[in-house]
Amino acid sequence: MTGVLPTGLHLSGDVLVEGLGGSGPALVLSAPISFWGGVDAKTGRMVDVRHPECGRSIAGQVLFVPGTIGSSSASAVLMELVHNRKAPAALVLHEPDAILLLGLIVAREMGWRTPVAVKLDRADFGKVEGRQVAVSVSGAIDIVDR
């Protein structure tokens, strides 16, 4: 882990699903999303035209999700994203979604490289928006701007 902000900002999330730590630009969603029908599993692009971040890609981003709009197919979409190497570098959720996270668990059981998923209070999401962040396997979230 490198570069904690000079202000000492260091966030600590609770690990929901173990996986690889990752880093990248923080993509903080302003609204809950449905992975099924909302994210293209082949490209990682958000395709729900009603979502404020429609058109942005979650691939390789540290994705901060305030909530999900349920679908029992969300886990399959996330698993396909992992398989297609278009998954987020790390997944940070305000509200854990067992169905969504099942996709990471199954992908990991299949031997695929899966990102870590952590829980973090939504109030902290704004602290990372527009920043480069790293999420460790222990759930530590640090700003790594250069």
Side-chain angles (χ1 to χ4, degrees), residues 24-113:
L27 176 54
V28 179
L29 301 185
S30 61
I33 187 169
S34 171
F35 274 68
W36 186 86
V39 179
D40 183 332
K42 291 182 180 175
T43 66
R45 192 152 306 279
M46 298 176 56
V47 294
D48 181 350
V49 296
R50 298 167 296 174
H51 197 279
E53 282 80 34
C54 180
R56 303 226 16 216
S57 176
I58 67 170
Q61 312 286 310
V62 176
L63 184 63
F64 289 78
V65 181
T68 55
I69 300 169
S71 169
S72 57
S73 299
S75 56
V77 173
L78 185 53
M79 193 173 74
E80 285 183 59
L81 286 163
V82 170
H83 183 259
N84 294 330
R85 299 179 185 208
K86 298 297 182 185
L91 192 57
V92 182
L93 301 171
H94 170 66
E95 297 174 1
D97 180 332
I99 300 262
L100 177 67
L101 295 174
L102 179 62
L104 290 181
I105 295 168
V106 172
R108 187 182 64 210
E109 291 301 311
M110 296 182 79
W112 300 340
R113 298 173 53 87

